[in-house]
Tab-separated table of all heavy atoms in Angstrom:
chain	number	residue	atom	x	y	z
A	77	ILE	N	125.475	87.544	56.640
A	77	ILE	CA	125.354	88.106	55.291
A	77	ILE	C	123.876	88.012	54.923
A	77	ILE	O	123.311	86.905	54.854
A	77	ILE	CB	126.238	87.318	54.294
A	77	ILE	CG1	127.707	87.364	54.740
A	77	ILE	CG2	126.070	87.889	52.885
A	77	ILE	CD1	128.641	86.477	53.921
A	78	LEU	N	123.233	89.185	54.772
A	78	LEU	CA	121.800	89.222	54.488
A	78	LEU	C	121.560	88.640	53.085
A	78	LEU	O	122.399	88.775	52.219
A	78	LEU	CB	121.295	90.662	54.551
A	78	LEU	CG	121.622	91.441	55.842
A	78	LEU	CD1	121.004	92.838	55.775
A	78	LEU	CD2	121.155	90.694	57.069
A	79	ARG	N	120.374	88.055	52.950
A	79	ARG	CA	119.374	87.790	53.957
A	79	ARG	C	119.595	86.493	54.718
A	79	ARG	O	119.310	86.380	55.899
A	79	ARG	CB	118.089	87.574	53.166
A	79	ARG	CG	116.902	88.183	53.271
A	79	ARG	CD	115.858	87.785	52.256
A	79	ARG	NE	116.181	86.937	51.129
A	79	ARG	CZ	115.267	86.199	50.502
A	79	ARG	NH1	113.997	86.214	50.906
A	79	ARG	NH2	115.585	85.447	49.471
A	80	ALA	N	120.047	85.473	53.978
A	80	ALA	CA	119.961	84.125	54.524
A	80	ALA	C	120.790	83.941	55.797
A	80	ALA	O	120.429	83.139	56.662
A	80	ALA	CB	120.369	83.106	53.466
A	81	GLY	N	121.880	84.709	55.935
A	81	GLY	CA	122.703	84.582	57.132
A	81	GLY	C	121.941	84.887	58.410
A	81	GLY	O	122.291	84.385	59.492
A	82	LEU	N	120.876	85.703	58.282
A	82	LEU	CA	120.075	86.044	59.475
A	82	LEU	C	119.515	84.800	60.155
A	82	LEU	O	119.353	84.772	61.373
A	82	LEU	CB	118.898	86.944	59.079
A	82	LEU	CG	119.188	88.413	58.821
A	82	LEU	CD1	117.919	89.106	58.357
A	82	LEU	CD2	119.737	89.067	60.087
A	101	GLY	N	124.707	93.543	53.915
A	101	GLY	CA	123.688	93.256	52.905
A	101	GLY	C	124.340	93.024	51.558
A	101	GLY	O	125.017	93.907	51.023
A	102	LEU	N	124.164	91.831	51.052
A	102	LEU	CA	124.718	91.458	49.746
A	102	LEU	C	123.717	90.554	49.067
A	102	LEU	O	123.122	89.707	49.722
A	102	LEU	CB	125.977	90.599	49.924
A	102	LEU	CG	127.323	91.185	50.240
A	102	LEU	CD1	128.316	90.048	50.405
A	102	LEU	CD2	127.776	92.093	49.130
A	103	TYR	N	123.523	90.724	47.782
A	103	TYR	CA	122.823	89.659	47.055
A	103	TYR	C	123.634	89.301	45.822
A	103	TYR	O	124.439	90.101	45.346
A	103	TYR	CB	121.386	90.051	46.672
A	103	TYR	CG	121.300	91.148	45.640
A	103	TYR	CD1	121.298	90.855	44.279
A	103	TYR	CD2	121.218	92.478	46.023
A	103	TYR	CE1	121.223	91.857	43.337
A	103	TYR	CE2	121.154	93.484	45.089
A	103	TYR	CZ	121.157	93.174	43.746
A	103	TYR	OH	121.105	94.177	42.808
A	104	ARG	N	123.417	88.103	45.369
A	104	ARG	CA	124.158	87.629	44.203
A	104	ARG	C	123.322	87.915	42.969
A	104	ARG	O	122.177	87.457	42.862
A	104	ARG	CB	124.392	86.119	44.360
A	104	ARG	CG	125.360	85.569	43.373
A	104	ARG	CD	125.621	84.122	43.677
A	104	ARG	NE	124.521	83.261	43.277
A	104	ARG	CZ	124.651	81.965	43.063
A	104	ARG	NH1	125.810	81.371	43.250
A	104	ARG	NH2	123.619	81.234	42.699
A	105	ASP	N	123.881	88.709	42.047
A	105	ASP	CA	123.167	88.987	40.797
A	105	ASP	C	122.913	87.664	40.066
A	105	ASP	O	123.864	86.914	39.809
A	105	ASP	CB	124.009	89.919	39.924
A	105	ASP	CG	123.269	90.312	38.646
A	105	ASP	OD1	123.088	89.427	37.760
A	105	ASP	OD2	122.863	91.461	38.548
A	106	PRO	N	121.612	87.362	39.761
A	106	PRO	CA	121.327	86.036	39.199
A	106	PRO	C	121.956	85.813	37.825
A	106	PRO	O	122.185	84.661	37.437
A	106	PRO	CB	119.803	85.993	39.134
A	106	PRO	CG	119.316	87.369	39.393
A	106	PRO	CD	120.419	88.152	40.017
A	109	LEU	N	126.202	86.359	38.653
A	109	LEU	CA	126.614	85.650	39.879
A	109	LEU	C	127.573	86.491	40.731
A	109	LEU	O	128.176	85.985	41.678
A	109	LEU	CB	127.236	84.273	39.586
A	109	LEU	CG	126.385	83.255	38.815
A	109	LEU	CD1	127.116	81.907	38.731
A	109	LEU	CD2	125.019	83.065	39.441
A	110	GLN	N	127.699	87.794	40.398
A	110	GLN	CA	128.585	88.659	41.183
A	110	GLN	C	127.835	89.242	42.383
A	110	GLN	O	126.644	89.560	42.277
A	110	GLN	CB	129.108	89.819	40.314
A	110	GLN	CG	130.065	89.365	39.224
A	110	GLN	CD	131.235	88.581	39.787
A	110	GLN	OE1	131.965	89.058	40.645
A	110	GLN	NE2	131.404	87.347	39.311
A	111	PRO	N	128.514	89.414	43.537
A	111	PRO	CA	127.837	89.980	44.710
A	111	PRO	C	127.601	91.484	44.553
A	111	PRO	O	128.456	92.199	44.021
A	111	PRO	CB	128.836	89.712	45.847
A	111	PRO	CG	130.155	89.555	45.193
A	111	PRO	CD	129.910	89.036	43.807
A	112	VAL	N	126.426	91.950	44.992
A	112	VAL	CA	126.080	93.370	44.945
A	112	VAL	C	125.831	93.809	46.390
A	112	VAL	O	124.972	93.247	47.074
A	112	VAL	CB	124.801	93.595	44.101
A	112	VAL	CG1	124.484	95.082	44.018
A	112	VAL	CG2	124.963	92.989	42.708
A	114	TYR	N	124.478	96.161	49.453
A	114	TYR	CA	123.471	97.189	49.691
A	114	TYR	C	123.423	97.661	51.137
A	114	TYR	O	122.694	98.589	51.459
A	114	TYR	CB	122.079	96.742	49.223
A	114	TYR	CG	121.550	95.467	49.877
A	114	TYR	CD1	120.809	95.516	51.059
A	114	TYR	CD2	121.781	94.227	49.303
A	114	TYR	CE1	120.322	94.366	51.645
A	114	TYR	CE2	121.307	93.063	49.883
A	114	TYR	CZ	120.575	93.145	51.051
A	114	TYR	OH	120.098	91.998	51.640
A	130	VAL	N	128.559	84.724	58.953
A	130	VAL	CA	127.695	83.556	58.766
A	130	VAL	C	126.803	83.699	57.539
A	130	VAL	O	126.256	84.767	57.265
A	130	VAL	CB	126.827	83.253	60.025
A	130	VAL	CG1	127.712	82.921	61.208
A	130	VAL	CG2	125.891	84.383	60.373
A	131	ASP	N	126.688	82.603	56.816
A	131	ASP	CA	125.819	82.516	55.632
A	131	ASP	C	125.590	81.030	55.400
A	131	ASP	O	126.557	80.263	55.405
A	131	ASP	CB	126.529	83.156	54.424
A	131	ASP	CG	125.601	83.349	53.235
A	131	ASP	OD1	124.701	82.507	53.028
A	131	ASP	OD2	125.779	84.339	52.517
A	132	PRO	N	124.351	80.591	55.212
A	132	PRO	CA	124.162	79.142	55.021
A	132	PRO	C	124.908	78.595	53.813
A	132	PRO	O	125.339	77.452	53.832
A	132	PRO	CB	122.649	79.000	54.828
A	132	PRO	CG	122.052	80.230	55.388
A	132	PRO	CD	123.078	81.315	55.229
A	133	MET	N	125.063	79.408	52.739
A	133	MET	CA	125.575	78.867	51.487
A	133	MET	C	126.870	79.538	51.055
A	133	MET	O	126.944	80.770	50.946
A	133	MET	CB	124.533	79.060	50.362
A	133	MET	CG	123.147	78.580	50.712
A	133	MET	SD	123.097	76.880	51.288
A	133	MET	CE	123.189	75.996	49.748
A	134	LEU	N	127.886	78.731	50.764
A	134	LEU	CA	129.138	79.212	50.174
A	134	LEU	C	129.198	78.580	48.788
A	134	LEU	O	129.649	77.449	48.636
A	134	LEU	CB	130.313	78.780	51.052
A	134	LEU	CG	131.709	79.214	50.623
A	134	LEU	CD1	131.833	80.734	50.641
A	134	LEU	CD2	132.763	78.592	51.523
A	135	ALA	N	128.684	79.298	47.791
A	135	ALA	CA	128.529	78.702	46.446
A	135	ALA	C	129.743	79.041	45.576
A	135	ALA	O	130.749	78.349	45.639
A	135	ALA	CB	127.207	79.159	45.846
A	136	THR	N	129.686	80.137	44.781
A	136	THR	CA	130.907	80.544	44.062
A	136	THR	C	131.927	81.095	45.043
A	136	THR	O	133.117	81.177	44.734
A	136	THR	CB	130.625	81.642	43.020
A	136	THR	OG1	130.195	82.831	43.707
A	136	THR	CG2	129.552	81.227	42.024
A	137	GLY	N	131.422	81.531	46.212
A	137	GLY	CA	132.297	82.140	47.218
A	137	GLY	C	132.387	83.654	47.082
A	137	GLY	O	132.964	84.319	47.942
A	138	GLY	N	131.781	84.196	46.001
A	138	GLY	CA	131.898	85.636	45.754
A	138	GLY	C	131.300	86.474	46.878
A	138	GLY	O	131.894	87.480	47.304
A	139	SER	N	130.128	86.068	47.392
A	139	SER	CA	129.470	86.857	48.446
A	139	SER	C	130.284	86.836	49.732
A	139	SER	O	130.526	87.881	50.346
A	139	SER	CB	128.062	86.309	48.726
A	139	SER	OG	127.275	86.344	47.561
A	140	ALA	N	130.726	85.656	50.136
A	140	ALA	CA	131.486	85.552	51.391
A	140	ALA	C	132.818	86.291	51.269
A	140	ALA	O	133.219	87.008	52.188
A	140	ALA	CB	131.714	84.081	51.743
A	141	ALA	N	133.488	86.130	50.135
A	141	ALA	CA	134.783	86.810	49.962
A	141	ALA	C	134.594	88.322	50.011
A	141	ALA	O	135.385	89.041	50.647
A	141	ALA	CB	135.431	86.381	48.651
A	142	ALA	N	133.527	88.828	49.358
A	142	ALA	CA	133.282	90.275	49.373
A	142	ALA	C	132.929	90.739	50.784
A	142	ALA	O	133.406	91.796	51.237
A	142	ALA	CB	132.148	90.625	48.407
A	163	SER	N	130.546	74.693	48.450
A	163	SER	CA	131.025	73.982	47.250
A	163	SER	C	132.548	73.999	47.288
A	163	SER	O	133.144	74.887	47.924
A	163	SER	CB	130.547	74.692	45.981
A	163	SER	OG	131.299	75.878	45.822
A	166	GLY	N	133.756	77.401	46.165
A	166	GLY	CA	133.603	78.480	47.150
A	166	GLY	C	134.706	78.441	48.194
A	166	GLY	O	135.274	79.482	48.563
A	169	LEU	N	137.916	79.736	46.589
A	169	LEU	CA	137.978	81.194	46.391
A	169	LEU	C	138.261	81.919	47.708
A	169	LEU	O	139.110	82.809	47.770
A	169	LEU	CB	136.674	81.724	45.786
A	169	LEU	CG	136.720	83.223	45.497
A	169	LEU	CD1	137.434	83.499	44.178
A	169	LEU	CD2	135.337	83.846	45.471
A	170	VAL	N	137.537	81.529	48.765
A	170	VAL	CA	137.739	82.208	50.057
A	170	VAL	C	139.160	81.953	50.572
A	170	VAL	O	139.829	82.862	51.072
A	170	VAL	CB	136.671	81.777	51.086
A	170	VAL	CG1	137.001	82.321	52.471
A	170	VAL	CG2	135.289	82.266	50.654
A	188	LEU	N	128.927	73.018	41.672
A	188	LEU	CA	127.895	74.013	41.362
A	188	LEU	C	127.212	73.601	40.062
A	188	LEU	O	127.874	73.074	39.160
A	188	LEU	CB	128.536	75.387	41.162
A	188	LEU	CG	129.241	76.006	42.369
A	188	LEU	CD1	129.919	77.309	41.955
A	188	LEU	CD2	128.242	76.253	43.491
A	191	HIS	N	123.519	77.212	37.098
A	191	HIS	CA	122.994	78.469	37.648
A	191	HIS	C	123.752	78.891	38.896
A	191	HIS	O	123.312	79.793	39.615
A	191	HIS	CB	121.500	78.324	37.966
A	191	HIS	CG	120.697	77.862	36.789
A	191	HIS	ND1	120.398	78.695	35.727
A	191	HIS	CD2	120.163	76.651	36.500
A	191	HIS	CE1	119.703	78.012	34.819
A	191	HIS	NE2	119.550	76.768	35.275
A	192	GLY	N	124.859	78.227	39.177
A	192	GLY	CA	125.649	78.595	40.353
A	192	GLY	C	125.056	78.087	41.649
A	192	GLY	O	125.432	78.549	42.731
A	193	TYR	N	124.135	77.112	41.578
A	193	TYR	CA	123.568	76.527	42.806
A	193	TYR	C	124.399	75.329	43.259
A	193	TYR	O	124.845	74.526	42.435
A	193	TYR	CB	122.106	76.099	42.588
A	193	TYR	CG	121.165	77.251	42.838
A	193	TYR	CD1	120.968	78.227	41.862
A	193	TYR	CD2	120.516	77.398	44.058
A	193	TYR	CE1	120.143	79.318	42.101
A	193	TYR	CE2	119.689	78.479	44.301
A	193	TYR	CZ	119.513	79.435	43.319
A	193	TYR	OH	118.704	80.510	43.568
A	194	ILE	N	124.562	75.236	44.582
A	194	ILE	CA	125.296	74.103	45.126
A	194	ILE	C	124.478	72.836	44.887
A	194	ILE	O	123.269	72.798	45.142
A	194	ILE	CB	125.567	74.297	46.637
A	194	ILE	CG1	126.420	75.560	46.855
A	194	ILE	CG2	126.272	73.071	47.201
A	194	ILE	CD1	126.676	75.883	48.326
A	199	GLY	N	118.907	74.150	47.799
A	199	GLY	CA	118.097	75.126	47.068
A	199	GLY	C	118.502	76.532	47.460
A	199	GLY	O	119.647	76.783	47.834
A	200	ASP	N	117.544	77.454	47.395
A	200	ASP	CA	117.826	78.854	47.737
A	200	ASP	C	117.541	79.065	49.220
A	200	ASP	O	116.392	79.020	49.670
A	200	ASP	CB	116.957	79.784	46.885
A	200	ASP	CG	117.375	81.233	47.059
A	200	ASP	OD1	117.298	81.744	48.211
A	200	ASP	OD2	117.791	81.852	46.073
A	201	ALA	N	118.604	79.279	49.973
A	201	ALA	CA	118.468	79.330	51.433
A	201	ALA	C	117.554	80.471	51.869
A	201	ALA	O	116.701	80.289	52.752
A	201	ALA	CB	119.845	79.482	52.063
A	202	GLY	N	117.720	81.652	51.266
A	202	GLY	CA	116.890	82.810	51.658
A	202	GLY	C	115.416	82.540	51.384
A	202	GLY	O	114.554	82.795	52.230
A	203	ASP	N	115.117	82.021	50.209
A	203	ASP	CA	113.715	81.743	49.866
A	203	ASP	C	113.121	80.681	50.783
A	203	ASP	O	111.958	80.765	51.187
A	203	ASP	CB	113.609	81.289	48.407
A	203	ASP	CG	113.779	82.450	47.437
A	203	ASP	OD1	113.586	83.604	47.854
A	203	ASP	OD2	114.118	82.193	46.267
A	204	ARG	N	113.905	79.675	51.138
A	204	ARG	CA	113.373	78.612	51.996
A	204	ARG	C	113.199	79.100	53.435
A	204	ARG	O	112.276	78.683	54.134
A	204	ARG	CB	114.277	77.377	51.927
A	204	ARG	CG	114.226	76.725	50.533
A	204	ARG	CD	114.760	75.322	50.540
A	204	ARG	NE	113.972	74.421	51.371
A	204	ARG	CZ	114.350	73.204	51.703
A	204	ARG	NH1	115.519	72.736	51.270
A	204	ARG	NH2	113.587	72.446	52.462
A	205	LEU	N	114.081	80.020	53.882
A	205	LEU	CA	113.939	80.565	55.248
A	205	LEU	C	112.720	81.466	55.368
A	205	LEU	O	112.045	81.470	56.396
A	205	LEU	CB	115.171	81.399	55.599
A	205	LEU	CG	116.389	80.689	56.158
A	205	LEU	CD1	117.588	81.617	56.133
A	205	LEU	CD2	116.115	80.192	57.579
A	206	TYR	N	112.479	82.257	54.324
A	206	TYR	CA	111.475	83.313	54.450
A	206	TYR	C	110.246	83.085	53.571
A	206	TYR	O	109.384	83.958	53.496
A	206	TYR	CB	112.148	84.669	54.181
A	206	TYR	CG	113.247	84.916	55.200
A	206	TYR	CD1	114.585	84.924	54.835
A	206	TYR	CD2	112.942	85.038	56.562
A	206	TYR	CE1	115.587	85.102	55.792
A	206	TYR	CE2	113.929	85.198	57.506
A	206	TYR	CZ	115.241	85.224	57.122
A	206	TYR	OH	116.227	85.374	58.077
A	208	THR	N	109.756	82.958	50.306
A	208	THR	CA	109.554	83.931	49.233
A	208	THR	C	109.483	83.317	47.839
A	208	THR	O	109.534	84.030	46.851
A	208	THR	CB	110.671	85.001	49.277
A	208	THR	OG1	111.927	84.381	49.555
A	208	THR	CG2	110.380	86.035	50.347
B	1	PRP	O1	128.786	82.088	47.035
B	1	PRP	P1	127.883	82.864	46.146
B	1	PRP	O2	127.912	82.384	44.730
B	1	PRP	O3	128.120	84.345	46.223
B	1	PRP	O4	126.387	82.560	46.584
B	1	PRP	C1	126.006	82.459	47.909
B	1	PRP	C2	125.121	83.590	48.281
B	1	PRP	O5	123.854	83.449	47.635
B	1	PRP	C3	122.828	83.445	48.624
B	1	PRP	O6	122.336	84.716	48.860
B	1	PRP	P2	121.350	85.440	47.812
B	1	PRP	O7	122.122	86.192	46.783
B	1	PRP	O8	120.368	84.441	47.305
B	1	PRP	O9	120.654	86.529	48.715
B	1	PRP	P3	119.517	86.324	49.831
B	1	PRP	O10	120.227	85.781	51.040
B	1	PRP	O11	118.999	87.690	50.016
B	1	PRP	O12	118.493	85.358	49.299
B	1	PRP	C4	123.513	82.889	49.845
B	1	PRP	O13	122.823	83.151	51.030
B	1	PRP	C5	124.882	83.542	49.767
B	1	PRP	O14	124.922	84.837	50.328
Side-chain angles (χ1 to χ4, degrees):
I77 301 173
L78 307 182
R79 235 176 352 156
L82 282 176
L102 280 178
Y103 68 89
R104 191 175 75 159
D105 184 290
L109 302 185
Q110 292 305 304
V112 182
Y114 59 89
V130 298
D131 191 326
M133 310 307 281
L134 181 63
T136 65
S139 301
S163 74
L169 183 81
V170 172
L188 296 175
H191 305 286
Y193 273 80
I194 299 177
D200 189 299
D203 285 339
R204 293 197 63 191
L205 275 167
Y206 299 112
T208 41

